[in-house]
Amino acid sequence: MRKHKSGLPRPASGAPVARLCLGLLIAASGGTVSQPAVAQRKSPPRAAPIAPARAVAPALAAPALSRDAAERRAIVLKAKATDAERAGLELKHAGASAPDALAALRAAGYKPAELAGALDAYALRDSLQLADTLQKADLTMEDVVAALLARRMPVDEIVPVLTRLDMRALAVAEALRKNNVSALELLRAFDKNRMDPAENVSALLHGGYEAAQAAEALKRAGWSVATSAVTLRKAGLAPGAVTDALGDAGLHAGDLAKELRAQGNPYEKIAQALVATGYPAPKVARALKYAGASAPLRAAALKRMGVEPGTVVAILRHQK
């Protein structure tokens, strides 16, 4: 006899549906309900099913060599000038886990870049597994990045791996900067992983890169002057800091005005954009001239900006 999904025996073929419903009610209430006698065909007794043996997962064995014991061995290996790759292999054979071996070697004085060789003993190849192992060794973010770079892992691969381990972008940026990764290389890695542009630049700035380095990176990455200016503002720079950073990168008000004019923008809107970026009235006037605006058009744009007529005359006279 097959069982119903409820766990109750299914009635024999031909039994009224009402009897099945009643049986369900009885089982649900835990009691008995009288019903008219109905001739039933008795089913042969059925043996109780034998439950399959439940598989028991073996308990994970603790490392044969503790971290403290591994550190003592690592100190001896360091004193014998054993290279990191050989030291990692000896610690593995002694029973140390990969994180414990790495932690021990770092504590014994091996450099972060040398830990890349020690990782070979554990045959770790997956990028995420490598980074996770280094993190579990309680290394600093700077040391983790140094070890990954020593294994020739590309920066555009390091960035997503570390962010998947819940590491903040600004902490990643700081660690990469301390390992001499350029702002341009990091910016390209951020872009390749489709991270928010303003947040990327903010991470660069909070990670210790100079505003001029960020602006130079944007320029060399092929960003337009307008987009670079807007991104720097969204990243948290004040207007004056934006214009200074652009200037240090060789980008000036005239470059922005000419770019906006090439896009078909009227001079009045170009002037507004220049002011919003942080340029003062004299530089706005000069930039408009560089973009092809005549003196009357420059004067009109400056007046709409709220510049006093006498000041407008003085600015234009000075720029002849």
Side-chain angles (χ1 to χ4, degrees):
M1 182 190 304
R2 292 182 298 173
K3 287 192 174 182
H4 191 261
K5 290 182 180 179
S6 63
L8 296 174
R10 184 183 297 275
S13 176
V17 176
R19 188 179 307 136
L20 172 60
C21 297
L22 184 59
L24 292 173
L25 290 173
I26 294 173
S29 63
T32 58
V33 178
S34 61
Q35 55 181 317
V38 179
Q40 299 184 19
R41 184 174 57 191
K42 292 185 178 181
S43 300
R46 184 175 180 179
I50 299 175
R54 181 176 298 176
V56 179
L60 294 176
L65 192 68
S66 68
R67 183 170 293 195
D68 289 340
E71 184 176 332
R72 290 192 292 271
R73 287 205 180 199
I75 292 172
V76 173
L77 292 168
K78 180 66 175 175
K80 293 180 178 179
T82 308
D83 65 76
E85 185 174 355
R86 178 65 186 174
L89 191 60
E90 289 199 21
L91 291 176
K92 180 188 178 184
H93 288 163
S97 67
D100 288 347
L102 294 172
L105 292 172
R106 187 70 181 105
Y110 286 90
K111 295 179 180 179
E114 293 179 291
L115 300 181
L119 283 167
D120 290 337
Y122 291 88
L124 300 175
R125 296 292 179 266
D126 179 72
S127 300
L128 185 61
Q129 189 180 23
L130 283 168
D132 185 54
T133 301
L134 290 164
Q135 187 184 36
K136 287 177 179 176
D138 297 327
L139 302 179
T140 65
M141 175 76 82
E142 184 179 351
D143 287 354
V144 170
V145 169
L148 294 176
L149 289 172
R151 288 189 67 86
R152 302 186 182 280
M153 186 182 294
V155 174
D156 58 11
E157 189 175 338
I158 291 175
V159 168
V161 163
L162 294 183
T163 52
R164 282 180 64 186
L165 292 175
D166 294 329
M167 298 182 185
R168 295 181 301 166
L170 63 90
V172 174
E174 182 179 16
L176 288 165
R177 178 185 62 80
K178 289 180 177 179
N179 280 281
N180 301 316
V181 173
S182 70
L184 175 61
E185 191 173 3
L186 179 54
L187 182 67
R188 283 174 172 166
F190 281 147
D191 287 344
K192 185 174 180 180
N193 288 281
R194 300 186 179 185
M195 301 170 73
D196 181 76
E199 290 182 4
N200 296 343
V201 175
S202 179
L204 288 175
L205 298 174
H206 286 90
Y209 290 92
E210 299 292 334
Q213 291 177 301
E216 178 68 23
L218 292 170
K219 175 185 175 181
R220 292 181 61 189
W223 292 35
S224 68
V225 185
T227 304
S228 298
V230 170
T231 303
L232 290 169
R233 284 287 288 121
K234 286 184 176 180
L237 288 184
V242 171
T243 57
D244 288 344
L246 291 174
D248 290 338
L251 300 172
H252 304 285
D255 298 314
L256 177 56
K258 198 169 184 179
E259 179 183 283
L260 293 174
R261 184 59 180 170
Q263 295 172 0
N265 291 289
Y267 290 114
E268 181 181 350
K269 287 191 175 181
I270 294 173
Q272 292 173 356
L274 291 168
V275 172
T277 303
Y279 293 106
K283 288 192 175 183
V284 171
R286 189 174 296 279
L288 292 175
K289 180 179 180 181
Y290 183 73
S294 64
L297 288 174
R298 281 178 277 152
L302 291 173
K303 287 179 182 178
R304 290 192 182 93
M305 289 169 52
V307 180
E308 294 293 331
T311 305
V312 172
V313 171
I315 290 173
L316 294 180
R317 183 179 298 165
H318 180 71
Q319 293 179 357
K320 282 185 178 180

